[in-house]
């Protein structure tokens, strides 16, 4: 009898431990280690290149010419001034290099970026125009403007959502611009202006970046730039024996060539819209596996 009771107890204990083992196995399956989730880190130095296009607005303003008393009509002076004050809409390819450094705190990313680009916008306006006071005499006006390069230095601040970054940016924008103008008026007299200046202005814009891998990042960016107004001197040139029919300053005497008339000037205001796409290599700040 005792032997049968022992066998029964052994069977019960065996079945109990078998059930406990199955429960533990099931519990272990439920509490298995979760899969890692990638956490993108935008902190670090980066360098890249971009290409795109620029569309500008360039308004040239010639100083108001004055008709010399008894030699020219005010409407003629106004016509030469207007023809020598064209507005341009130049456009160009842009492409260059950029570099910067980002810091990330939570979802906020902030940093500083600089870039240098080819920025070769060029426009020209030339024509022959009638003097309003007569139907037989005409004058010529030829104006050209051009830029070569663009430099910007801009803080950036953005919001990171995983591998995506939306950012706003704004800061310093610098370019150079050359202006050349020749207006031929009565009796072969001319008004000329030619100057080149480095223009420091401002820029503001926004962009989006996407981290393809822990090191490679692509972007699209838009910038509005404003380089303000620049002024340059202009002079009137009178050939031998020619009277100064149109003058640059009020009260100037009637001159007979050869002579140079001072007091003329030319100014222009330059703005541009820029859109470009780029790819950069980011150093450090790898993608971290988080559980």
């Amino acid at each position: 009898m005792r032997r049968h009771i022992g066998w029964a107890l052994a069977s019960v204990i065996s079945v109990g431990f078998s059930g406990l083992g199955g429960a533990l196995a099931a519990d272990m399956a439920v509490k298995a280690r979760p899969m890692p989730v990638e956490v993108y880190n935008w902190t670090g130095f980066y360098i890249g290149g971009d290409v795109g296009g620029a569309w500008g607005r360039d308004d040239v303003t010639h100083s108001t010419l004055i008709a010399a008393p008894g030699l020219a009509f005010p409407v003629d002076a106004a016509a030469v001034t207007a023809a020598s004050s064209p507005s341009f809409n130049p456009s160009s390819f842009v492409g260059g290099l950029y570099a910067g450094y980002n810091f990330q705190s939570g979802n906020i990313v902030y940093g500083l970026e600089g870039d240098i680009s080819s920025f070769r916008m060029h426009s020209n306006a030339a024509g022959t125009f009638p003097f309003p006071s007569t139907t037989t005499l005409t004058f010529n006006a030829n104006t050209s403007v051009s830029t070569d390069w663009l430099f910007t230095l801009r803080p950036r601040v953005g919001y990171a959502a995983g591998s995506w970054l939306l950012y706003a940016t704004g800061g310093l924008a610098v370019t150079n611009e050359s202006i050349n103008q020749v207006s031929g008026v009565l009796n072969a007299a001319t008004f000329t202006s030619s100057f080149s200046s480095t223009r420091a202005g401002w820029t503001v814009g926004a962009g989006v970046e996407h981290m393809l891998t822990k090191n490679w990042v692509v972007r699209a960016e838009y910038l509005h730039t404003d380089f303000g107004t620049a002024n340059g001197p202009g002079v009137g040139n009178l050939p031998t024996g020619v009277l100064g029919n149109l003058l640059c300053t009020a009260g100037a005497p009637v001159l007979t060539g050869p002579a140079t008339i001072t007091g003329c000037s030319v100014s222009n205001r330059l703005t541009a819209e820029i859109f470009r796409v780029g790819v950069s290599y980011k150093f450090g700040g790898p993608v971290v596996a988080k559980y």
Side-chain angles (χ1 to χ4, degrees), residues 111-115 150-157 168-174 199-206 221-227:
L112 182 68
E113 179 175 298
D115 65 82
L150 171 69
F151 169 77
T152 75
L153 183 64
R154 299 168 284 111
R156 304 196 316 162
V157 62
T169 183
L172 175 69
V174 183
R199 312 277 292 274
W202 55 270
T203 183
V204 64
E221 181 179 70
Y222 162 79
L223 294 175
H224 169 77
T225 58
D226 190 324
F227 300 101

Side-chain angles (χ1 to χ4, degrees), residues 197-290:
S197 62
T198 298
R199 312 277 292 274
W202 55 270
T203 183
V204 64
V208 58
E209 292 187 339
H210 177 58
M211 194 180 295
L212 296 175
T213 70
K214 67 179 183 179
N215 297 114
W216 290 103
V217 180
V218 294
R219 68 157 57 167
E221 181 179 70
Y222 162 79
L223 294 175
H224 169 77
T225 58
D226 190 324
F227 300 101
T229 301
N231 297 279
V235 296
N237 300 290
L238 299 178
T240 301
V242 174
L243 295 176
N245 296 315
L246 300 178
L247 304 177
C248 295
T249 56
V254 176
L255 301 176
T256 301
T260 298
I261 302 174
T262 60
C264 298
S265 66
V266 173
S267 67
N268 84 307
R269 177 175 177 79
L270 174 65
T271 61
E273 316 300 320
I274 300 169
F275 179 78
R276 53 194 182 183
V277 294
V279 59
S280 63
Y281 184 87
K282 185 175 74 69
F283 301 87
V287 176
V288 179
K290 182 178 181 180

Side-chain angles (χ1 to χ4, degrees), residues 100-146:
Y101 194 92
N102 285 326
F103 298 91
Q104 182 170 358
S105 176
N107 293 105
I108 304 302
V109 177
Y110 56 95
L112 182 68
E113 179 175 298
D115 65 82
I116 184 74
S117 302
S118 173
F119 186 62
R120 302 181 65 84
M121 295 198 300
H122 176 79
S123 285
N124 176 266
T128 299
F129 308 89
F131 281 105
S133 65
T134 177
T135 59
T136 58
L137 299 177
T138 61
F139 66 93
N140 301 316
N142 189 327
T143 305
S144 65
V145 296
S146 63

Side-chain angles (χ1 to χ4, degrees), residues 65 67 72-81 130-134 139 186 246:
L65 294 175
F73 293 96
V75 291
D76 294 332
V80 176
T81 298
F131 281 105
S133 65
T134 177
F139 66 93
L186 289 171
L246 300 178

